[in-house]
Amino acid sequence: MLPVTFLLFIASLAIPAGLFGFMAWESREETVAAALRHVEQTTGILHENAEKVLEINAGALERAAQFMAAPDGRGALHGFLARVERSSPSIQSLWVFAPDGRALGTSMPSPPPQGLDVSDREYFLHHRAHPGTSFFVSAPLIGRADGRQQFALTRRLEDGSGRFAGVALSGIASVYFERQWQGLSPELQPTAALVRDDGVVLVRHPALPVTAPPLPPDSEYMQAVRREPQGVRQMGSTIDGRDRIVGFRRLSGYPVSIAYAVSLDAVLAGWHRLLVLYGFVCGSVALALLAMTALVHRRSRLREITARLRERQAVVEAHEEVQRVTQGFQRELIAAVEARQACIARDLHDCVGASLAGVSLLVGSARALAADARAAAALDKAQEQVAATAEAVRGISRGLMPAGTDSGGLLHALEQFAADLTDTSGVLCMLRARGTFATLGAEEATHVFRVVQEAVANALRHGHATELRIVLCEWRGRWRISVADNGRGCDFGRLPRTHPGLGLRSMQARARALGGELELGPDAWGGCRVRVTWTASPARRSGLVLHQDREAFAH
């Protein structure tokens, strides 16, 4: 199962990213949809205006044809054409051409130039080759009379027998449409155009030169116009190569379509600005969520750490409780042992000592009554053995319950112990003390004395020592007892730390009962040193430290 903080971290990144993607997609769709509506509406307006312009010009051509059909039409032709031109600003000029291409009349103020001939024009050739009075929309051209760019709407003229009688022409100025289209949403980089069905661009904004090639038949625009009369599509321009949203609509009755397009890049420019805003908002949301995730992670870590600390505290408390119970048991056991030893010591002193004293008196009395020298000598020997036995019993009694281990009597007990050891074993035992130790209680004094006893016994039994030094000192509330010998020493690397021997366990238990620490290590004499250090207000510790370095331990 994934951690909650990891899931929150993923959500902190995924939610803002998803929100950004959704907002970006939705706003793009709305932006494009708004552009589509704009293009569709504008195309409809431009379509209506273009149809009206062509209808006006077609009406002018019909009136010109009717005027030419009248018997006296040619006499007042100039004035008539001038009046019709002034009736609409979309008409640049009106012309009537004879069957040979010469100008019969014009709406222009000045007469047509001498030698003007349009028999080579596209529209003239078309009407001469195609009977009928249908209209023809010419390709863009430069007027030979005025030099202005235009395209022409033309009509065939016929005589009464239907023979070709010339051409009526209405010149539609390209600048007329360009002026109208200039104000079409410039921020969208619009283009507008009138396109003939064969792809010839009649007029365009921005303007194209007259010699501009027609749109290819396989272009997206031409294919769309052939498929349906109107529509809005996104397509690439064959003129400038830009992607555009293009609206188109065919003009009724004419082989022409109106096109209005806006640049897709310009449409999406506003959307790109919105993306920056969306990015800032979503980034802020992501930072806020990440901050919350970090806070949750921190709190989770704090809870974990707190739980671990509580577990460790519980373990420590349980360990301390075990130590308290163990130390209490050890103190009770030591107290019971001490009490039992005291009882045995009293029994030895009171019973065995008294009995031996009585035996000694009886042997002395018998010696006084003995007349035989050999019997007297035997009785003397028996009396000496009884005295030695009595002295041994007193030594055992003092070892079991040393005199002076009551409150304030530790120093006296150690002095007596050292003197007796020297006298009885011949081992030189020296005692040095700094302080009176008068405040040391009876229980603590007993523990210290027993540690000294065990350390001396180990030195004699295992180290074969011939000299011993006992040092007892007190300094700033800390007490220390050390026992050093000149024996063979001990390999402390082979002593087990967790399961020492009975003697070590006894000294360790008494050091723990004192609330101090038992230290074992080499001494400068070459033997072993046992040291216990404790305080007046002991903090209970585990109690056994083994030292390998003689110089470090000497300090």
Side-chain angles (χ1 to χ4, degrees):
M1 183 176 180
L2 294 175
V4 175
T5 52
F6 178 75
L7 296 177
L8 288 176
F9 175 75
I10 296 300
S12 300
L13 297 178
I15 291 176
L19 179 63
F20 176 80
F22 173 76
M23 294 171 64
W25 173 81
E26 187 177 33
S27 63
R28 189 184 190 281
E29 293 296 311
E30 291 179 356
T31 300
V32 172
L36 291 172
R37 290 192 298 270
H38 165 75
V39 169
E40 185 176 16
Q41 293 171 359
T42 305
T43 302
I45 295 172
L46 297 182
H47 172 268
E48 182 179 354
N49 179 69
E51 279 194 338
K52 185 178 293 185
V53 169
L54 291 181
E55 287 173 359
I56 290 173
N57 282 266
L61 294 178
E62 288 292 343
R63 290 171 64 187
Q66 293 172 5
F67 187 84
M68 291 296 294
D72 58 347
R74 293 192 178 186
L77 180 59
H78 172 72
F80 172 77
L81 294 177
R83 288 193 302 273
V84 175
E85 177 190 340
R86 289 193 296 269
S87 67
S88 174
S90 64
I91 301 175
Q92 180 170 297
S93 62
L94 289 172
W95 294 80
V96 176
F97 296 101
D100 59 358
R102 292 179 296 104
L104 298 176
T106 180
S107 63
M108 296 181 66
S110 58
Q114 291 295 328
L116 178 65
D117 185 1
V118 297
S119 60
D120 61 336
R121 291 286 197 184
E122 175 194 27
Y123 57 84
F124 196 89
L125 296 174
H126 173 82
H127 286 304
R128 189 166 60 185
H130 296 84
T133 58
S134 61
F135 296 101
F136 180 80
V137 180
S138 75
L141 52 88
I142 300 296
R144 292 175 177 173
D146 56 12
R148 291 184 292 180
Q149 183 174 335
Q150 58 191 297
F151 70 94
L153 182 65
T154 59
R155 182 188 185 281
R156 175 185 168 106
L157 298 179
E158 296 180 346
D159 58 13
S161 60
R163 290 177 297 182
F164 179 64
V167 174
L169 180 147
S170 176
I172 304 173
S174 300
V175 69
Y176 172 79
F177 287 99
E178 292 175 6
R179 289 172 180 171
Q180 285 189 328
W181 295 344
Q182 280 180 352
L184 294 174
S185 303
E187 72 279 359
L188 297 179
Q189 302 176 10
T191 61
L194 284 173
V195 183
R196 207 164 63 177
D197 285 352
D198 60 356
V200 174
V201 180
L202 304 178
V203 59
R204 182 181 184 272
H205 173 76
L208 292 176
V210 176
T211 58
L215 300 180
D218 58 348
S219 64
E220 293 182 80
Y221 180 84
M222 296 305 298
Q223 292 180 17
V225 170
R226 284 195 296 269
R227 284 196 301 267
E228 49 192 347
Q230 65 181 29
V232 180
R233 299 285 185 276
Q234 180 179 331
M235 61 182 70
S237 171
T238 58
I239 296 176
D240 56 18
R242 292 185 178 182
D243 288 333
R244 298 181 182 276
I245 298 176
V246 181
F248 61 89
R249 208 166 190 182
R250 295 181 61 87
L251 275 63
S252 301
Y254 302 97
V256 178
S257 61
I258 182 74
Y260 173 71
V262 295
S263 169
L264 185 60
D265 291 339
V267 169
L268 296 179
W271 175 68
H272 290 150
R273 290 190 291 270
L274 282 177
L275 288 185
V276 176
L277 177 61
Y278 293 158
F280 175 77
V281 172
C282 294
S284 301
V285 172
L287 290 177
L289 291 176
L290 287 174
M292 292 176 60
T293 301
L295 181 60
V296 170
H297 177 68
R298 184 177 180 182
R299 290 184 176 178
S300 177
R301 289 289 299 165
L302 287 176
R303 285 196 295 268
E304 291 179 3
I305 293 173
T306 302
R308 291 178 182 176
L309 290 177
R310 288 176 179 172
E311 291 177 0
R312 292 180 181 178
Q313 182 64 28
V315 171
V316 170
E317 291 177 354
H319 179 67
E320 291 178 351
E321 181 64 24
V322 170
Q323 283 189 334
R324 284 194 294 270
V325 172
T326 302
Q327 291 170 4
F329 174 75
Q330 288 176 344
R331 285 194 296 271
E332 292 178 0
L333 180 60
I334 291 172
V337 170
E338 292 294 339
R340 185 59 180 166
Q341 288 179 346
C343 181
I344 294 173
R346 285 193 297 270
D347 289 342
L348 288 174
H349 182 272
D350 296 341
C351 297
V352 178
S355 298
L356 288 175
V359 172
S360 178
L361 290 175
L362 289 175
V363 172
S365 298
R367 169 68 179 82
L369 297 176
D372 184 29
R374 294 178 61 186
L379 289 174
D380 288 339
K381 185 67 175 177
Q383 191 173 22
E384 290 175 2
Q385 290 181 353
V386 171
T389 302
E391 184 61 30
V393 169
R394 283 195 297 273
I396 294 173
S397 178
R398 284 196 302 270
L400 292 174
M401 189 177 66
T405 55
D406 295 334
S407 296
L410 175 62
L411 184 57
H412 175 71
L414 291 177
E415 290 174 345
Q416 184 65 43
F417 174 78
D420 291 344
L421 182 63
T422 300
D423 293 340
T424 58
S425 65
V427 175
L428 178 60
C429 184
M430 298 173 288
L431 174 66
R432 288 192 304 170
R434 184 170 61 187
T436 62
F437 300 91
T439 59
L440 200 63
E443 182 180 356
E444 291 176 313
T446 300
H447 291 319
V448 173
F449 187 85
R450 295 303 184 193
V451 169
V452 172
Q453 275 186 318
E454 183 63 33
V456 170
N458 287 336
L460 297 178
R461 184 182 308 113
H462 303 294
H464 304 288
T466 59
E467 292 185 14
L468 296 166
R469 183 174 63 249
I470 302 172
V471 179
L472 185 63
C473 62
E474 176 185 2
W475 185 69
R476 292 186 179 180
R478 289 181 63 81
W479 295 333
R480 174 180 291 174
I481 181 73
S482 65
V483 179
D485 64 77
N486 65 344
R488 295 184 304 177
C490 181
D491 186 2
F492 295 98
R494 300 179 62 182
L495 289 178
R497 294 173 180 268
T498 55
H499 300 286
L502 181 60
L504 285 180
R505 285 204 301 271
S506 173
M507 289 190 291
Q508 185 179 1
R510 293 186 182 277
R512 187 182 296 114
L514 289 169
E517 186 175 66
L518 173 67
E519 299 174 274
L520 302 178
D523 187 70
W525 279 2
C528 176
R529 176 186 291 184
V530 177
R531 184 166 62 194
V532 176
T533 305
W534 73 99
T535 58
S537 299
R540 308 300 184 187
R541 293 185 286 182
S542 62
L544 177 59
V545 177
L546 301 179
H547 291 276
Q548 300 288 346
D549 189 346
R550 177 180 288 108
E551 294 183 1
F553 183 61
H555 299 287

